[in-house]
């Protein structure tokens, strides 16, 4: 059961103030356990036998009586008490100039009442009785939760019983389980100050207060914290944390939950997918060898040939970046500094050989058909540098956008950089519209019935796209393998159905834009930066 401490006494009775010993750690003084209160007597023996952690009460009246007998003076008495294993000396102001040794003074504002000893002991007894009842009830609830739902259910049950938020984190600060309304993980700097269970450290976070303890499981650490929003923590909170910590240690050992440091590849995935809170970013960045406030580039490496892909990746990857890769779907994701990205891009372009930009077929998906997937043998796409590590999910979204364009044939080449105009053409600008529901509305206004699913509409759409790409009926006929007159007829039909004049620059631009928008990959959600 949680111990009662001096911090509790000062919270129960706001009249008490503490005078700290010179050089003492105030937090350590407030966390001193309290057993009972005993009063100094006017005649020897001045104190009953002590068992430890008592509050010693010394009134001005008793001190004057002792001094009057000549058996001891104030300084001698204080030095004797400072050597005893007691919690503190409860006394009146101005009786002693300052504490002696490590003994704190708890000052009562005025003459100490004759019944202060019984009052304090009654209060301590009532609080211990309340804690015992809570311990019995909570132990039963937590045990039931552990049997039915494991650690997650235990934290939820504890949060419900205490009206606090609880978070269990691994040694990297990643959340293993949480309970309560909007649980907030402890920052890495706070985790570094945690005391081993059953000890608890109280930390102030603005208007909130957090209790934190470290749990050791098979030589690995996990951290459990309880957050009191807008208030100070109490003895009840320490009891809840202590009971939950003990149960979590047992469950972690049984479940083999990941209290070991997370693999670097897992940290990279968590960063890119936005699963890490900002409080753990500095520690994660340190493990990955990155500056959390410096720009980073996200790259995706893929292709249809696993053998070639693996060989190329080994040849282009910087040694410093090898620990910052992780598989994401069909691709390998890389988290890079700007310098690493430039070096990897240069090597990859050297392996790819001459630029293939001239081979690009404008509006290829519309000409070749939506199912004509054109995976290169291998490819590397790079986001533009994002401002800081927290924005890495936005870099991943850019890289996935480029990957989708490569696979449909909208872009060609083995190396594509988001902010290189010669690589992406207008698509870096159209990225801003990716996922916008207005795109389909615009395309239907521009292309009208050509977007219907019937075979004739598809033929007209294909012919129109080829004409906008090549500019002449002869080249369209050669591309599609049809007669030149058929091309002319289909273009006339397309003009009639869309109401667009192919000889008008404005209409032609609207049609080209509609085709470009139709080449965007399936939408993904926007990522907050």
């Amino acid at each position: 059961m949680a111990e009662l401490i001096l911090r509790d006494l000062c919270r129960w009775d706001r009249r008490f103030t503490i005078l700290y010993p010179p050089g003492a750690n105030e937090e350590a003084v407030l966390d001193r356990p309290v057993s009972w209160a005993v009063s100094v007597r006017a005649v020897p023996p001045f104190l009953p036998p002590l068992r430890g952690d008592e509050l010693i009460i010394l009134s001005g009246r008793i001190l004057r009586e002792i001094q009057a007998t000549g058996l001891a003076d104030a300084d001698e008495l204080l030095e004797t008490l400072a050597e005893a294993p007691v919690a503190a000396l409860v006394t009146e102001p101005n009786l002693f100039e300052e504490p002696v040794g490590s003994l704190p003074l708890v000052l009562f504002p005025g003459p100490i009442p004759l019944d202060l000893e019984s009052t304090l002991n009654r209060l301590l007894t009532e609080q211990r009785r309340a804690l015992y009842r809570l311990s019995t009830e909570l132990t039963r609830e937590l045990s039931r939760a552990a049997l039915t739902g494991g650690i997650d259910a235990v934290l939820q049950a504890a949060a419900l019983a205490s009206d606090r938020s609880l978070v269990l984190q691994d040694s990297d600060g990643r959340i293993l389980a949480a309970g309560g309304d909007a649980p907030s993980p402890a920052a890495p700097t706070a985790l570094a100050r945690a005391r081993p269970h059953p000890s608890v450290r109280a930390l102030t976070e603005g208007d909130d207060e957090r209790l934190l303890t470290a749990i050791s499981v098979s030589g690995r650490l996990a951290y459990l914290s309880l957050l009191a929003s807008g208030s100070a923590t109490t003895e009840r909170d320490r009891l809840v944390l202590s009971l939950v910590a003990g149960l979590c240690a047992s469950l972690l050992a049984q479940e083999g939950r990941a209290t070991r440091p997370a693999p670097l590849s897992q940290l990279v995935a968590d960063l890119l997918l936005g699963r890490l809170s900002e409080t753990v970013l500095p520690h994660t960045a340190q493990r990955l060898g990155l500056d959390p406030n410096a720009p980073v580039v996200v790259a995706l490496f893929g292709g249809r040939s696993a053998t070639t892909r693996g060989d190329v990746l080994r040849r282009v990857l910087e040694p410093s970046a090898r620990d910052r890769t992780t598989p994401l779907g069909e691709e390998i994701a890389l988290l890079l500094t700007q310098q690493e990205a430039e070096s990897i891009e240069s090597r990859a372009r050297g392996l790819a050989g001459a630029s293939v930009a001239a081979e690009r077929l404008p509006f290829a998906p519309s000409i070749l058909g939506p199912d004509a997937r054109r995976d290169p043998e291998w490819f590397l796409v790079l986001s533009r540098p994002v401002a800081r590590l927290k924005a890495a999910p936005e870099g991943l979204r850019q890289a996935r956008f480029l990957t989708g364009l490569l696979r449909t044939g909208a872009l060609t080449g083995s190396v594509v950089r988001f902010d290189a105009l010669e690589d992406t053409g207008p698509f870096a600008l159209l990225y801003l519209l990716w996922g916008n529901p207005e795109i389909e509305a615009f395309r239907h206004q521009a292309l009208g019935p050509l977007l219907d699913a019937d075979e004739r509409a598809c033929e007209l759409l294909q012919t129109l796209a080829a004409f906008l790409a090549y500019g002449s009926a002869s080249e369209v006929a050669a591309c599609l393998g049809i007669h030149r007159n058929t091309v002319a007829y289909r273009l006339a039909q397309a003009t009639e159905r869309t109401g667009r004049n192919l000889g008008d620059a404005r209409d032609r631009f609207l049609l080209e834009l509609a085709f470009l928008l139709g080449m965007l990959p399936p939408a993904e959600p926007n990522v907050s930066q």
Side-chain angles (χ1 to χ4, degrees), residues 299-313:
L300 287 177
F301 195 90
R304 66 175 182 270
S305 171
T307 302
T308 304
R309 189 173 62 212
D311 179 61
V312 172
L313 185 59

Side-chain angles (χ1 to χ4, degrees), residues 360 417-428:
R360 183 176 303 159
R417 196 178 81 236
F418 187 89
D419 52 350
L421 182 63
E422 61 274 17
D423 289 345
T424 59
F427 287 108

Side-chain angles (χ1 to χ4, degrees), residues 254-339:
Q254 294 172 22
E255 297 179 6
R257 191 80 71 102
T259 55
R260 63 179 59 84
L264 295 182
S265 62
Q266 181 62 53
L267 292 181
V268 173
D270 289 343
L271 270 169
L272 295 178
L273 298 175
R275 295 194 298 231
L276 292 183
S277 67
E278 193 162 5
T279 57
V280 305
L281 275 178
H283 181 67
T284 302
Q286 185 179 30
R287 284 200 64 197
L288 294 174
L290 295 172
D291 180 349
N293 297 312
V296 292
V297 174
V298 178
L300 287 177
F301 195 90
R304 66 175 182 270
S305 171
T307 302
T308 304
R309 189 173 62 212
D311 179 61
V312 172
L313 185 59
R314 283 189 296 272
R315 295 170 67 182
V316 304
L317 197 56
E318 285 280 294
S320 59
R322 285 175 183 158
D323 288 335
R324 282 186 258 111
T325 65
T326 189
L328 285 182
E330 299 180 38
E331 288 79 46
I332 300 294
L334 297 80
L335 190 57
L336 309 168
T337 65
Q338 282 186 276
Q339 185 176 1

Side-chain angles (χ1 to χ4, degrees), residues 208-231:
D208 306 334
E209 188 169 276
R210 184 187 299 274
L211 294 181
L212 180 65
T213 191
I215 306 168
S216 179
V217 182
S218 301
R220 306 184 189 101
L221 287 179
Y223 299 93
L224 180 67
S225 64
L226 177 149
L227 186 66
S229 299
S231 64

Side-chain angles (χ1 to χ4, degrees), residues 31-65:
D31 287 345
R32 282 190 169 207
V34 174
S35 58
W36 302 104
V38 297
S39 296
V40 177
R41 300 164 181 161
V43 295
F46 298 123
L47 288 168
L50 300 176
R51 291 177 291 180
D53 300 330
E54 288 88 356
L55 286 172
I56 306 300
I57 301 173
L58 177 59
S59 67
R61 179 181 61 81
I62 294 296
L63 179 59
R64 287 189 291 273
E65 290 182 17

